[in-house]
Amino acid sequence: MSIEEDQGTARALHALLHETTVPPSRADIGEAVRQGRRAERRRRGAAATAAVLAVLGVVGATTAVLGRSGEARPEPARPTPVVSPGPVGTVTAEVETVPVTVTDRTLECKISPLTLPAETLQVHVRGIDPTGRFVVGAAAIMADRRPRSADGWYVLWDRKTPTLFKVPNPARLGAAVVNAEGVVAGTGNDNPGNGMVREFGWVYRNGQVQRLPMLPGYDAAHVAAITEQGDVVGHAYRLPPEGEMRGGGGAVPVRWRADGSGGPWPLSTPENGGSPVGVTRDGTVVGRHGFDKIRIWRPDGTTADLQMPPGIVRTAGWHVSGDWVAGYVAASDAQSPTPLMRWNIHTGTMYVYPNIDSQGNLGMAVTSTGRTIVSTPEDGFLLVEPDGSVGRLPTPPGAEDWPRKVDANVISDNGLLVGSAYLGPSASEGTGDYTWQCGG
Amino acid sequence: MRADGETEYVEYVTARLPALHRTAYLLCGDAHRADDIVQATITALYRHWRRARSVENLDGYVHRILVRKHLDEVRGPWARVRLMFETPDRPASPEASVEDRDTVHRLLGGLTGAQRAVLVLRFACDLSVQEVAAVLNTSTGNVKSHTARGLAAVRRHLDVQQSGIGPAQSGIRSAER
């Protein structure tokens, strides 16, 4: 077989494998967690942990520190944060179903190649500011084939001009976020060398990377979002004792203020904690509690859980902008469809799109105007307009044969999307990086 | 596992579940077995999450678990040995051809287990030769060899289809548009 035949066959096979319909998965993440916990419990042989391990979602509220044999140990001394200690309230949403039709309609967007620094081979864009001026992404330099946060190289674009910077001790997971002032925040990892990960927050401002301080009494932190004012929001947590998998303690939402007032400042008591994902226009922090609940922490110090609307048993929010939260809902605990939803936290209306199944995919974002992009395994990346119309991102030149290999999961308020497109198995780098300007 | 690690695990698995299921399905050609393979994979991943989250290439790590679970599930404990040392061009499993109902099943069902694994990882998961070699714990030369032979077998199948003998010409044409 000649090289040309080889490549032609590879392209045909690639298209077939990517386009063939696959039956929906019945795998159960909750069951995997339950089994994993049981195995962990068996290993530790600690009967005292049984009650904690048996129920999904209660780990975040666990504050006891358990030793190898299950005995309680005193928690490390720490100052008690001053926040509202009241009970967790509820916030409601009124569901409005939007029966959109997903067609092959392609959006009218201006596509431009993304300029990379000279030493950069590829990037994975992670964040964009609402104005579209600043974009941040993880970079692969030199011989690295794929961009990874773990390499610590990041690119910050200011009006399409890139600057490469290095974060010492980077974390492999976690977002990089940027605001309209060009301040970038992300998560690092001290990695104490015993297989553990000890995360910390960092900020890149004026060409300098600075480590964010820890919440007193806590030894790890994870960054989720940055506000227009430069406040960084994330959560603090404690590592488990040496040699233990469990027992570190739940996540406490925190805010590092940019006004010089110190911090981080806890947003709730540990009992009312959770993991933030973003901040709304009025300063309300939106996040997760357990696996299937949206929890909010208000500027007045109160905490509330989103009450499940009728017919919905779990929901998750993954991106926040303006008054909007983008995420998905599910009608059952099993592997039921997880249609896209966008919830206006100000009006309380939750728009659910039953024909757009995210299949649990986290690749979604919303603008302050309510435009939503979502990655669906079936239909690729879709842009859902507030009026319910749905369109696909156009494929850049040179990638015509690979229509569903576009990966652009950041969008600004003025309709700038940034991401990559697959160029096929014969391309030297595999993907190219682009911007799509889709409306204003 | 601490709460934060568990949240991270759930985030990762939730995001990757469709892709893992797709890979498992293409590897084994059966929806129920794919479910079992993925379930076993994510359960194992939970137990090893502390180590997994610190590896450089998490997707590769998980693919490695998945391929091992696939081999354990479908072909028994000696499969990993056979995967690397069996002579090529032997059909993977006779029952696969019975269950094959579409073009992909026919194409992949005619390959050896090694060729099928390599082609699925290369062209469905978009892994590089080096990454596939790491997942399968073999040499890049072995991966290239299985890729070339697998593609040759696919090519023969496509030629047969396009000559009008095969029953699935429409699927091939749509794939080559």
Side-chain angles (χ1 to χ4, degrees):
Chain A
M1 187 161 57
S2 70
I3 293 175
E4 290 74 18
E5 286 175 329
D6 208 10
Q7 290 183 344
T9 308
R11 291 163 70 89
L13 180 64
H14 183 278
L16 269 175
L17 295 182
H18 279 257
E19 292 180 3
T20 188
T21 303
V22 173
S25 171
R26 302 287 171 200
D28 188 333
I29 299 173
E31 179 59 25
V33 171
R34 281 188 289 272
Q35 286 194 19
R37 286 174 172 179
R38 279 197 290 271
E40 188 179 313
R41 194 167 66 232
R42 282 196 298 273
R43 280 201 303 273
R44 296 174 57 186
T49 62
V52 178
L53 303 180
V55 183
L56 279 174
V58 302
V59 182
T62 304
T63 55
V65 180
L66 299 176
R68 185 175 296 277
S69 60
E71 77 278 14
R73 292 178 183 171
E75 293 185 26
R78 63 184 190 281
T80 304
V82 180
V83 291
S84 172
V88 175
T90 58
V91 57
T92 58
E94 185 175 342
V95 171
E96 186 172 311
T97 302
V98 188
V100 300
T101 302
V102 178
T103 66
D104 285 333
R105 184 176 80 90
T106 301
L107 297 163
E108 295 287 333
C109 306
K110 182 186 176 188
I111 303 174
S112 305
L114 188 64
T115 304
L116 304 187
E119 54 275 75
T120 302
L121 294 178
Q122 262 189 292
V123 293
H124 182 205
V125 169
R126 309 296 298 271
I128 191 169
D129 89 276
T131 70
R133 172 178 168 179
F134 293 101
V135 175
V136 66
I141 65 167
M142 306 304 286
D144 287 341
R145 181 176 178 271
R146 293 187 175 190
R148 296 192 303 254
S149 300
D151 292 331
W153 290 103
Y154 285 86
V155 179
L156 175 64
W157 287 265
D158 180 358
R159 294 193 177 97
K160 299 187 177 180
T161 300
T163 301
L164 188 67
F165 67 96
K166 181 81 164 68
V167 175
N169 303 346
R172 188 186 48 73
L173 295 172
V177 290
V178 62
N179 70 0
E181 301 295 321
V183 181
V184 183
T187 304
N189 168 31
D190 276 334
N191 198 345
N194 56 359
M196 301 286 289
V197 172
R198 183 189 294 138
E199 292 177 322
F200 63 89
W202 56 261
V203 167
Y204 176 76
R205 183 189 282 118
N206 300 325
Q208 300 290 323
V209 177
Q210 294 176 318
R211 179 184 286 249
L212 293 169
M214 290 291 174
L215 182 68
Y218 289 75
D219 49 16
H222 187 92
V223 164
I226 187 167
T227 69
E228 189 179 349
Q229 296 77 25
D231 288 2
V232 177
V233 169
H235 66 264
Y237 59 94
R238 294 191 200 99
L239 296 175
E242 182 72 26
E244 297 291 324
M245 289 285 283
R246 181 183 292 276
V252 176
V254 294
R255 179 189 290 258
W256 290 268
R257 291 180 183 158
D259 60 5
S261 59
W265 299 90
L267 305 178
S268 78
T269 61
E271 291 75 17
N272 294 352
S275 308
V277 296
V279 187
T280 67
R281 190 195 316 270
D282 70 358
T284 299
V285 174
V286 181
R288 291 187 301 279
H289 172 57
F291 298 148
D292 51 12
K293 284 183 184 169
I294 293 178
R295 175 166 282 184
I296 65 171
W297 298 272
R298 299 190 182 95
D300 64 5
T302 59
T303 303
D305 285 341
L306 174 63
Q307 192 173 45
M308 297 293 175
I312 293 174
V313 300
R314 58 192 171 99
T315 182
W318 294 113
H319 190 252
V320 181
S321 182
D323 294 329
W324 292 101
V325 179
Y328 59 72
V329 296
S332 81
D333 278 327
Q335 291 297 306
S336 61
T338 50
L340 171 73
M341 72 86 175
R342 63 186 178 105
W343 171 40
N344 188 309
I345 197 169
H346 183 67
T347 66
T349 304
M350 177 186 284
Y351 297 91
V352 174
Y353 301 82
N355 298 335
I356 301 177
D357 185 3
S358 69
Q359 296 191 24
N361 203 313
L362 314 184
M364 59 180 68
V366 64
T367 70
S368 67
T369 57
R371 301 177 94 189
T372 310
I373 55 170
V374 56
S375 168
T376 66
E378 292 298 323
D379 297 306
F381 269 87
L382 302 175
L383 179 57
V384 185
E385 300 287 3
D387 65 5
S389 61
V390 180
R392 300 174 191 277
L393 281 180
T395 306
E400 291 89 347
D401 291 337
W402 317 93
R404 291 179 184 173
K405 295 299 291 180
V406 170
D407 177 2
N409 55 7
V410 301
I411 181 171
S412 67
D413 285 350
N414 57 357
L416 183 71
L417 293 91
V418 191
S420 61
Y422 191 62
L423 303 178
S426 56
S428 59
E429 294 301 330
T431 61
D433 302 292
Y434 302 92
T435 62
W436 289 259
Q437 183 66 57
C438 307
Chain B
M1 189 188 296
R2 67 170 183 269
D4 187 67
E6 200 160 74
T7 301
E8 212 173 65
Y9 163 85
V10 172
E11 278 187 20
Y12 175 81
V13 173
T14 302
R16 301 300 295 158
L17 194 61
L20 290 173
H21 177 71
R22 188 175 192 84
T23 303
Y25 179 77
L26 292 173
L27 282 173
C28 72
D30 179 88
H32 296 294
R33 288 214 302 258
D35 286 337
D36 292 343
I37 292 166
V38 171
Q39 192 68 44
T41 299
I42 62 176
T43 302
L45 180 63
Y46 180 93
R47 292 203 298 271
H48 301 295
W49 183 245
R50 191 177 66 171
R51 184 173 63 199
R53 70 201 295 268
S54 62
V55 302
E56 279 199 356
N57 183 354
L58 179 56
D59 283 344
Y61 182 90
V62 177
H63 274 121
R64 200 152 48 236
I65 298 177
L66 186 131
V67 169
R68 286 173 182 165
K69 295 297 180 189
H70 160 61
L71 295 171
D72 292 345
E73 175 81 15
V74 178
R75 301 176 63 194
W78 290 100
R80 263 168 275 158
V81 178
R82 290 204 300 270
L83 175 64
M84 291 310 136
F85 297 106
E86 70 182 352
T87 55
D89 299 330
R90 184 165 61 82
S93 67
E95 61 271 23
S97 60
V98 178
E99 295 178 357
D100 287 346
R101 296 180 190 278
D102 59 22
T103 306
V104 169
H105 280 196
R106 278 190 292 274
L107 281 175
L108 298 180
L111 303 174
T112 67
Q115 290 169 358
R116 184 173 184 146
V118 167
L119 293 190
V120 167
L121 292 172
R122 286 277 281 123
F123 300 114
C125 305
D126 297 329
L127 300 187
S128 68
V129 170
Q130 291 79 7
E131 288 169 323
V132 174
V135 167
L136 298 177
N137 194 26
T138 187
S139 67
T140 54
N142 206 1
V143 171
K144 290 176 182 173
S145 168
H146 283 306
T147 302
R149 287 174 172 150
L151 286 178
V154 169
R155 178 73 191 175
R156 284 196 296 273
H157 193 96
L158 294 179
D159 287 343
V160 171
Q161 299 278 318
Q162 288 171 331
S163 69
I165 299 172
Q169 297 171 62
S170 59
I172 299 301
R173 286 195 183 115
S174 69
E176 292 187 328
R177 72 182 187 272

